Amino acid sequence: MNIVELKKSIDAGTFTNLYIFYGDEYTILEEYIKMIKNKIGCECKSCESVSTIYRTLNSKSLFGSDKCLYVVRDDKEFLTAEHMWDIEKKLKTKGIIIIAKYGNIDQRSKFSKRFSENMTSFEKLSENILTKYIKKDIDINNDNCEYLINVCNGDYGRIRLEIDKIVNACEYFKLRPDDCFRMCKSSDLFYVEPEGEAFELVDSIMTRNYRTIYQLLEKSKRRNDNCFLIFTLLHSNVKQVLQLQLAGTQGDTQKATGLNGFQIKSAMKYVNRYTCEELVRFLKYIKYCDSGIKQGTLS
């Protein structure tokens, strides 16, 4: 069951007795739990496991016939306990609804095949949909929407928290939303995920800061940082800088490079630190080291 089908069934008041929700977009997932709860209008309880409910379904005294909604979060046991997979019929008899919530579910598993009709995936929303949601909450332009989406890594929950900051600032300072957004941005009010020391090493390499590169490299070795993470970060930065340098300043940079505004802004501070020839050689070195480690020819 996809999200569109789920929404239609909730609006129509046609409920199943077992829902299995999973995915990264936890904010939308929680909104749908609230929608079901409000539509049914019954008591909602949290439960540690499906087995706790399953063991009592044959009892006539505990649940009775009154409708009840249970929310069970990350119950790993239910994923493999095949003896409980007949639970839906028993739930229907008792008038009980269970929403089992998971972060992720293996689509190749027997569980997924058995409950495919009950499962709804809540993946991260596309940039277009996120933009529409943002504009419903606050009237800011598309560029500001794009920045907010990128700085929050497409996480709608985080985006809503940042929108709350803007809304409160608008009310306090009596500013238009876009003007208030610029003020918040220039004041570093938006939360940016902290960049660890591995990021500092990459930054030193990209800026050719010879005074700190080897010092940070030794610290990285002592911390036993994941070398593939560093390769990935270097590759992304080098490639983006090369794209910008080859594109030049003429025309639409985003269209020419395929990079979004946030990526362009992040890479601009490294532009012209290396020549294009050096950047190409840099990419070849990264590929050589990455392949060598995976093949066992490099330590």
Side-chain angles (χ1 to χ4, degrees):
M1 183 189 303
N2 59 41
I3 293 180
V4 175
E5 293 170 340
L6 176 63
K7 180 68 165 58
K8 287 181 179 178
S9 69
I10 294 173
D11 291 340
T14 55
F15 301 100
T16 62
N17 293 88
L18 177 64
Y19 292 96
I20 300 168
F21 293 166
Y22 69 99
D24 297 325
E25 191 44 75
Y26 65 91
T27 303
I28 302 296
L29 189 156
E30 292 293 340
E31 286 294 325
Y32 271 84
I33 293 177
K34 289 180 183 177
M35 286 169 59
I36 294 173
K37 175 186 173 183
N38 294 335
K39 190 73 174 181
I40 296 174
C42 66
E43 185 180 7
C44 181
K45 298 179 180 179
S46 293
C47 192
E48 291 184 0
S49 66
V50 174
S51 62
T52 302
I53 304 169
Y54 185 84
R55 286 196 299 266
T56 57
L57 287 177
N58 293 325
S59 170
K60 295 182 179 180
S61 59
L62 185 59
F63 293 109
S65 59
D66 295 332
K67 282 189 176 182
C68 188
L69 173 65
Y70 286 88
V71 179
V72 182
R73 304 180 189 276
D74 294 309
D75 179 15
K76 306 298 186 205
E77 178 191 6
F78 185 48
L79 296 176
T80 55
E82 296 185 30
H83 68 279
M84 292 193 293
W85 289 0
D86 63 342
I87 190 172
E88 194 169 4
K89 293 180 180 179
K90 296 184 177 182
L91 291 173
K92 189 174 182 178
T93 303
K94 292 289 186 178
I96 297 170
I97 294 175
I98 292 178
I99 300 176
K101 175 190 170 186
Y102 294 93
N104 189 34
I105 295 178
D106 186 355
Q107 297 303 298
R108 300 165 299 178
S109 65
K110 291 177 67 176
F111 181 86
S112 294
K113 295 174 182 177
R114 169 65 178 79
F115 292 105
S116 59
E117 296 297 321
N118 304 82
M119 294 170 60
T120 302
S121 173
F122 291 84
E123 302 302 332
K124 283 193 173 182
L125 303 174
S126 68
E127 189 170 321
N128 289 336
I129 295 176
L130 284 172
T131 300
K132 290 179 182 179
Y133 280 170
I134 292 171
K135 287 181 176 290
K136 283 183 181 179
D137 294 329
I138 188 168
D139 185 20
I140 56 177
N141 62 45
N142 289 335
D143 288 340
N144 289 337
C145 288
E146 182 182 356
Y147 177 84
L148 205 56
I149 292 167
N150 286 320
V151 80
C152 294
N153 196 27
D155 187 326
Y156 184 54
R158 284 181 54 194
I159 290 171
R160 289 181 64 176
L161 293 175
E162 302 300 349
I163 289 174
D164 285 343
K165 296 177 186 177
I166 303 168
V167 170
N168 289 328
C170 283
E171 293 177 358
Y172 184 83
F173 293 104
K174 310 298 182 186
L175 293 172
R176 294 189 305 109
D178 281 314
D179 293 334
C180 190
F181 185 96
R182 285 192 291 270
M183 181 191 73
C184 293
K185 183 179 177 182
S186 62
S187 302
D188 295 325
L189 189 63
F190 301 130
Y191 174 77
V192 179
E193 289 183 343
E195 297 182 346
E197 292 176 330
F199 290 87
E200 294 177 8
L201 171 61
V202 172
D203 182 73
S204 291
I205 295 171
M206 294 304 300
T207 54
R208 301 186 89 141
N209 190 339
Y210 300 117
R211 295 181 179 179
T212 59
I213 284 175
Y214 292 103
Q215 181 183 2
L216 291 172
L217 179 60
E218 287 304 315
K219 289 182 178 179
S220 176
K221 290 178 180 178
R222 288 198 295 271
R223 290 194 309 269
N224 196 28
D225 286 345
N226 187 332
C227 60
F228 294 111
L229 168 63
I230 296 174
F231 284 149
T232 300
L233 294 171
L234 278 173
H235 186 275
S236 297
N237 281 281
V238 172
K239 184 180 178 182
Q240 289 169 11
V241 172
L242 180 60
Q243 287 174 286
L244 290 178
Q245 290 186 189
L246 290 173
T249 57
Q250 303 298 320
D252 188 342
T253 305
Q254 290 192 37
K255 186 176 180 180
T257 61
L259 303 174
N260 61 45
F262 187 75
Q263 289 173 320
I264 292 173
K265 181 181 177 182
S266 300
M268 279 301 295
K269 59 183 176 180
Y270 304 134
V271 168
N272 295 325
R273 304 275 186 169
Y274 295 86
T275 66
C276 290
E277 290 78 9
E278 286 177 317
L279 292 171
V280 171
R281 191 162 67 249
F282 206 152
L283 290 173
K284 290 180 179 179
Y285 277 136
I286 293 171
K287 183 178 180 181
Y288 168 76
C289 293
D290 183 78
S291 299
I293 292 173
K294 291 177 179 177
Q295 294 172 6
T297 57
L298 289 177
S299 171

